[in-house]
Amino acid sequence: MKTNFIVKIGVIGIIPALLMVNSGLANAVFNVQVNSNSNPWTHLKANNQPDKFQFVVVPDRTGNERPGVFENAVRKINLLQPEFVVCIGDLIEGYSEEAHTYEDQWEEFDNFVNELQMPFFYACGNHDLANNKMLKIWERRFGKLYYHFVYNNVLFLVLDTEDPPNPPPGAAGISAEQIEYFRKALKENKNVRWTFVFMHRPMWTSADITNGFKDIEEMLQDQSYTVFAGHTHTYKYEQRLGRDYFVLATAGGVNKLRGTPIGEMDHIAWVTMRDNKPVIANILLDGIGDAEICEEAIKKFKTKVTRPNQIIDCDVITTDSDIFESVKTPLIFVNHSKFSMHVKASFEPIKGIVAEPSTFDINLNPESCRIIDVALKADKPLKVKNIKPMLIVGEVKFTGRNHTYFNVPFSQSIIIAEKFNWKTLDFENSIEGCKDMHQCALSVKDGNLIVKILDDDPYFSIPVNINIPSSDRLVIIIRAKSTSKGNGQLFWATEDAPVLNLARSILFPQIHDGKWHEYKIKINPVGVINKIRLDPSIGSGTYEIDSIKFVRF
């Protein structure tokens, strides 16, 4: 249905007239005086085609979920106000044999999407259909595993790539029954102006497409279409068969978030369907804000930088004896931000112990760190168990372009504890059991573990087998030198939680100057640790480890 713009034409000394201009939306009116010679606008043809609409495609929420990210995506989508939302699966964590766990996870997820102010269309992923119990729960809650719908003469196909559920590695597929369903859907809707295909696994990336997707592509060969998938948690765009194929990254699934150049980001796809083709924009979740965007960002920033170990990476100093006399220890001052940072801080006085230096006045460039060696000395021998935590208090100032952005007070508590060495890995003889899992090569030289880094995401695993009583805490001390760059990250697995994931990991800052440094990583596991994984850096170079000590305190 066509309606009109009402445009007033006005020239000085001439009676204004009305000009009727065709428009696409009912009651859409520009009411403005128009000068015949010049006007402060380009034209009055509003971008409001009658068949245009917008929708959102949301990527994986789970697969080692990072809590809060998807909920934030829901709030951001409501700010954008699309007409509806389509997902590409991995909505719950799954992979459990306990049915009540799935029910709780689905209740949680449904509560999230019920906050959306527009329809949400479900699609299933491997985390949603990990076994037959999960299949039955999906069918009871949602009915269809695959389906289609038409909106504004555009066809939407939602595929199930877990057909049958929980396929073995490399065997995910689309059943013959599902293929026939979509053959019929395409036949019944052959005159639509566009077709969108949504699936969890990017089936076209298989070396041998015998998984059913080839049949889907053959059925679509005479159609104009676009494909969306997920699963890999890394964004990728390609043209295939003359069409656009997208693998989206995450909206909560595990992700190192190293940035858009390598496709690691939390985002949504914003799709505008025009009269003859879609326009697709990727919108980073961090790039969407409400009216209080500055206040929200400042609050988030201040909360982050004042967490323990964010400014000073040292919260425990270990001694070899239960009697303390003196110790030298490095304090690592870290600037994780993209601002210049100025730290002014000092040790709070503690009876019987002197720190040298006791005050600090340090400037740090963006994303850098600096080591300050500190000597602690007791006036007389003290029992370690009687020493109260030491406290560093101060203020950190973030500046840029000669302008101060934030002044943030902070404090860092440091305890002195007697260490008990559980185990030391020294690599004197071999690297038996160590596994170069990704983008690195391991070897031994002069009793050191040599990690040759082959790309920007190296990691390897080491068997451990240490039993940690619930009353104890653990410090892992890594003595290493590096010519690479970036933070390190340590993962650990236990007998009760054998899967390595982000929830059981910790980032730690490093110095990449080719010199030996010790990094103390405090974790609090319970039970038997059977494996650790070390992500040594995020760039090319060599990472050399002299020893890894597991110390109880």
Side-chain angles (χ1 to χ4, degrees), residues 51-289:
D51 293 328
K52 186 175 75 172
F53 63 91
Q54 291 86 20
F55 67 94
V56 159
V57 188
V58 63
D60 296 28
R61 170 189 173 236
T62 57
N64 297 329
E65 177 206 4
R66 289 168 290 126
V69 178
F70 186 83
E71 301 93 293
N72 183 44
V74 168
R75 292 190 293 270
K76 301 294 179 70
I77 291 170
N78 280 336
L79 288 174
L80 294 173
Q81 290 289 301
E83 294 179 38
F84 56 91
V85 179
V86 186
C87 76
I88 49 176
D90 273 8
L91 308 177
I92 66 171
E93 201 63 52
Y95 286 100
S96 169
E97 292 299 322
E98 301 296 331
H100 67 85
T101 300
Y102 306 139
E103 296 287 3
D104 292 345
Q105 290 177 358
W106 278 121
E107 285 295 326
E108 178 186 49
F109 181 78
D110 289 345
N111 287 335
F112 293 153
V113 295
N114 286 339
E115 294 297 315
L116 286 168
Q117 298 166 5
M118 64 289 300
F120 179 87
F121 290 90
Y122 290 75
C124 55
N126 56 296
H127 280 264
D128 311 315
L129 297 179
N131 53 46
N132 286 327
K133 289 181 181 178
M134 298 189 72
L135 171 63
K136 291 178 181 178
I137 292 173
W138 177 285
E139 290 176 331
R140 175 171 54 80
R141 295 182 73 97
F142 308 117
K144 301 173 182 178
L145 291 160
Y146 49 86
Y147 58 98
H148 73 282
F149 63 93
V150 177
Y151 182 80
N152 209 335
N153 199 30
V154 173
L155 177 62
F156 294 77
L157 307 180
V158 182
L159 279 58
D160 170 17
T161 56
E162 308 302 308
D163 192 4
N166 196 26
I174 301 170
S175 66
E177 180 183 5
Q178 186 177 169
I179 291 168
E180 288 308 309
Y181 171 87
F182 286 115
R183 191 186 307 278
K184 182 180 178 182
L186 285 162
K187 184 177 180 181
E188 291 174 350
N189 297 279
K190 61 183 179 181
N191 293 323
V192 294
R193 56 193 173 113
W194 205 269
T195 299
F196 289 100
V197 182
F198 304 90
M199 67 182 79
H200 181 63
R201 298 180 190 255
M203 309 290 279
W204 66 91
T205 61
S206 173
D208 178 22
I209 305 181
T210 58
N211 48 31
F213 186 65
K214 184 177 181 181
D215 299 88
I216 299 292
E217 286 185 317
E218 289 175 352
M219 289 187 283
L220 287 164
Q221 62 182 344
D222 295 325
Q223 299 289 108
S224 298
Y225 70 90
T226 303
V227 179
F228 289 97
H231 186 62
T232 66
H233 295 196
T234 303
Y235 178 85
K236 183 179 181 182
Y237 162 74
E238 64 179 291
Q239 279 220 331
R240 174 180 168 86
L241 305 176
R243 275 79 166 192
D244 291 332
Y245 282 59
F246 294 88
V247 180
L248 303 186
T250 54
V254 63
N255 196 323
K256 289 189 174 182
L257 300 179
R258 292 177 296 177
T260 54
I262 52 178
E264 292 182 359
M265 66 275 196
D266 287 320
H267 71 124
I268 57 174
W270 177 268
V271 185
T272 300
M273 186 64 212
R274 296 176 62 86
D275 54 357
N276 59 350
K277 65 178 181 179
V279 177
I280 299 168
N282 285 291
I283 304 179
L284 303 184
L285 293 186
D286 284 344
I288 308 169

Side-chain angles (χ1 to χ4, degrees), residues 350 353 383-391 414-416:
I350 182 168
I353 296 179
K383 284 189 173 293
V384 170
K385 66 180 182 180
N386 294 333
I387 300 175
K388 294 181 180 180
M390 306 186 72
L391 192 66
I414 301 175
I415 65 171
I416 298 175

Side-chain angles (χ1 to χ4, degrees), residues 367-428:
E367 298 178 328
S368 68
C369 58
R370 181 178 169 188
I371 295 177
I372 303 294
D373 290 320
V374 174
L376 301 175
K377 187 175 181 178
D379 295 339
K380 62 181 179 180
L382 300 172
K383 284 189 173 293
V384 170
K385 66 180 182 180
N386 294 333
I387 300 175
K388 294 181 180 180
M390 306 186 72
L391 192 66
I392 299 176
V393 296
E395 182 179 74
V396 59
K397 181 187 295 185
F398 295 93
T399 61
R401 297 182 181 179
N402 300 317
H403 177 70
T404 299
Y405 292 112
F406 311 107
N407 283 338
V408 186
F410 79 97
S411 63
Q412 174 75 33
S413 177
I414 301 175
I415 65 171
I416 298 175
E418 181 184 4
K419 71 180 179 182
F420 297 90
N421 196 358
W422 263 312
K423 186 170 187 174
T424 298
L425 304 176
D426 56 16
F427 312 105
E428 282 293 336

Side-chain angles (χ1 to χ4, degrees), residues 296-487:
E296 180 184 353
I298 291 170
K299 181 179 179 181
K300 183 178 178 181
F301 182 86
K302 288 183 176 180
T303 300
K304 182 177 180 180
V305 300
T306 53
R307 291 173 185 161
N309 293 328
Q310 287 297 306
I311 295 172
I312 302 176
D313 187 53
C314 178
D315 59 1
V316 60
I317 298 170
T318 56
T319 68
D320 295 320
S321 168
D322 63 347
I323 300 297
F324 175 77
E325 294 185 74
S326 65
V327 68
K328 287 186 177 181
T329 188
L331 299 185
I332 305 179
F333 288 79
V334 187
N335 182 5
H336 294 286
S337 78
K338 297 184 182 298
F339 303 102
S340 296
M341 188 174 89
H342 180 211
V343 181
K344 291 190 73 172
S346 62
F347 277 99
E348 290 278 270
I350 182 168
K351 186 177 181 180
I353 296 179
V354 176
E356 180 61 39
S358 61
T359 61
F360 309 94
D361 193 329
I362 300 169
N363 289 302
L364 285 170
N365 292 326
E367 298 178 328
S368 68
C369 58
R370 181 178 169 188
I371 295 177
I372 303 294
D373 290 320
V374 174
L376 301 175
K377 187 175 181 178
D379 295 339
K380 62 181 179 180
L382 300 172
K383 284 189 173 293
V384 170
K385 66 180 182 180
N386 294 333
I387 300 175
K388 294 181 180 180
M390 306 186 72
L391 192 66
I392 299 176
V393 296
E395 182 179 74
V396 59
K397 181 187 295 185
F398 295 93
T399 61
R401 297 182 181 179
N402 300 317
H403 177 70
T404 299
Y405 292 112
F406 311 107
N407 283 338
V408 186
F410 79 97
S411 63
Q412 174 75 33
S413 177
I414 301 175
I415 65 171
I416 298 175
E418 181 184 4
K419 71 180 179 182
F420 297 90
N421 196 358
W422 263 312
K423 186 170 187 174
T424 298
L425 304 176
D426 56 16
F427 312 105
E428 282 293 336
N429 299 314
S430 72
I431 54 171
E432 182 179 356
C434 299
K435 184 178 180 181
D436 45 357
M437 300 173 68
H438 195 245
Q439 295 182 357
C440 65
L442 306 181
S443 62
V444 170
K445 183 180 180 181
D446 299 329
N448 296 330
L449 176 63
I450 310 299
V451 185
K452 183 179 180 181
I453 298 168
L454 306 177
D455 211 328
D456 61 2
D457 188 21
Y459 51 89
F460 59 94
S461 64
I462 301 174
V464 178
N465 194 28
I466 298 176
N467 188 12
I468 313 294
S470 60
S471 59
D472 290 333
R473 302 175 75 184
L474 176 66
V475 174
I476 299 176
I477 304 174
I478 300 174
R479 186 170 187 266
K481 63 181 180 179
S482 170
T483 59
S484 184
K485 63 180 181 180
N487 290 332

Side-chain angles (χ1 to χ4, degrees), residues 464-469 493-497 525-531:
V464 178
N465 194 28
I466 298 176
N467 188 12
I468 313 294
T494 66
E495 284 187 347
D496 295 332
V526 175
V528 177
I529 296 181
N530 51 29
K531 179 170 61 176

